[in-house]
Amino acid sequence: MYNSAWSPLPAMNTSYTQRAACKIEVTGEGTVSAAPDQAIAELGAVTENISLTAAQKENAQTVSSIINSLLELGIPKKQIQTVQYRIDTEYSYEDGKQTFRGYKVTHMLQVTIDKIEQTGIIIDTAVNHGANTVSGIQFIATHRNVYYNQALSLAVKNAESKAMTIAKTIGAGIAKIPCEVQEIAPSLEPVPYQAKLYSQTAATPVQPGELKFTASVRVQYNLVPEG
């Protein structure tokens, strides 16, 4: 007969330390200004007549005259595009009675101008050849992606500066590399600071101003002990 004694294994003196990394989240914004190098003008002719055929004929002659005048100024044909052609019936209303007045034909052209300093001359030339509607002038930069990327870089640096300021204030530092960077969707088109069209004088002065490209980011950093 033998005796056996069972004893449990000695308890393991093991401790686990879990510490979640403290984070800081900031937003950053960067802006770059650039002079536009291209203009887009929308202009055309509106004609009215009791006869649809007459209204269309007059409109076609006017628009053809406008296009030819622009070609003579050196605007490539591919940069003159029809963006709207409409035929509307016109009525007058008096004492609750509707009276047919005729037809209105609208033909609008989009003109892309590479030499923006000629924008005023181009508008005047079109008007002198029958254009009676100028619905808008937009100034753009053909290399807008380059300017936006510059603004994006400034936005990241701005976010880092904010994070460092906050961290220093609470007695900490930030990791050199952020743990998350998120681009905030930009607006589709840059907004001109100024783009004014004056028609009081014979030579229409057009001010392209500057374009503003803005980028925004949301960035997370891990906080680290200062020093």
Side-chain angles (χ1 to χ4, degrees):
M1 180 176 182
Y2 75 99
N3 294 323
S4 66
W6 177 87
S7 62
L9 293 172
M12 297 181 66
N13 185 20
T14 306
S15 64
Y16 296 90
T17 301
Q18 294 181 340
R19 190 177 82 175
C22 293
K23 298 180 185 297
I24 185 171
E25 182 178 287
V26 292
T27 58
E29 185 174 284
T31 300
V32 171
S33 299
D37 56 11
Q38 197 173 70
I40 298 177
E42 191 167 310
L43 52 87
V46 177
T47 55
E48 298 182 31
N49 199 291
I50 191 68
S51 164
L52 176 57
T53 300
Q56 285 181 301
K57 182 178 180 180
E58 180 185 352
N59 191 280
Q61 290 174 342
T62 301
V63 172
S64 293
S65 178
I66 295 170
I67 292 174
N68 289 333
S69 70
L70 297 178
L71 293 174
E72 290 177 1
L73 286 178
I75 303 295
K77 191 173 184 179
K78 64 180 180 180
Q79 293 180 196
I80 304 172
Q81 178 183 5
T82 294
V83 291
Q84 182 184 143
Y85 186 84
R86 291 181 51 182
I87 298 175
D88 297 298
T89 51
E90 297 284 282
Y91 295 92
S92 61
Y93 297 88
E94 190 174 347
D95 297 329
K97 183 179 179 182
Q98 176 178 288
T99 304
F100 175 71
R101 291 196 300 111
Y103 296 92
K104 180 173 74 172
V105 179
T106 304
H107 190 160
M108 298 299 295
L109 302 170
Q110 179 177 283
V111 183
T112 301
I113 305 166
D114 292 329
K115 298 179 180 179
I116 60 174
E117 68 275 8
Q118 294 183 353
T119 302
I121 296 174
I122 289 169
I123 297 298
D124 287 341
T125 299
V127 170
N128 291 335
H129 286 79
N132 56 12
T133 300
V134 179
S135 64
I137 302 175
Q138 178 187 10
F139 296 97
I140 64 173
T142 53
H143 300 293
R144 49 189 173 272
N145 288 339
V146 173
Y147 300 120
Y148 176 75
N149 287 339
Q150 292 175 1
L152 191 61
S153 178
L154 292 176
V156 173
K157 292 177 181 178
N158 178 243
E160 180 184 27
S161 177
K162 286 182 178 180
M164 291 175 64
T165 299
I166 295 172
K168 185 177 180 180
T169 302
I170 61 176
I174 60 171
K176 185 177 181 181
I177 300 176
C179 52
E180 183 177 334
V181 179
Q182 179 183 358
E183 179 188 11
I184 300 173
S187 57
L188 295 179
E189 292 292 335
V191 180
Y193 287 145
Q194 55 179 351
K196 300 179 180 179
L197 172 64
Y198 302 92
S199 57
Q200 293 91 335
T201 60
T204 303
V206 178
Q207 300 177 5
E210 288 187 314
L211 300 176
K212 182 174 67 173
F213 298 83
T214 299
S216 301
V217 293
R218 184 176 292 109
V219 185
Q220 278 191 4
Y221 286 94
N222 284 328
L223 290 174
V224 297
E226 192 173 28

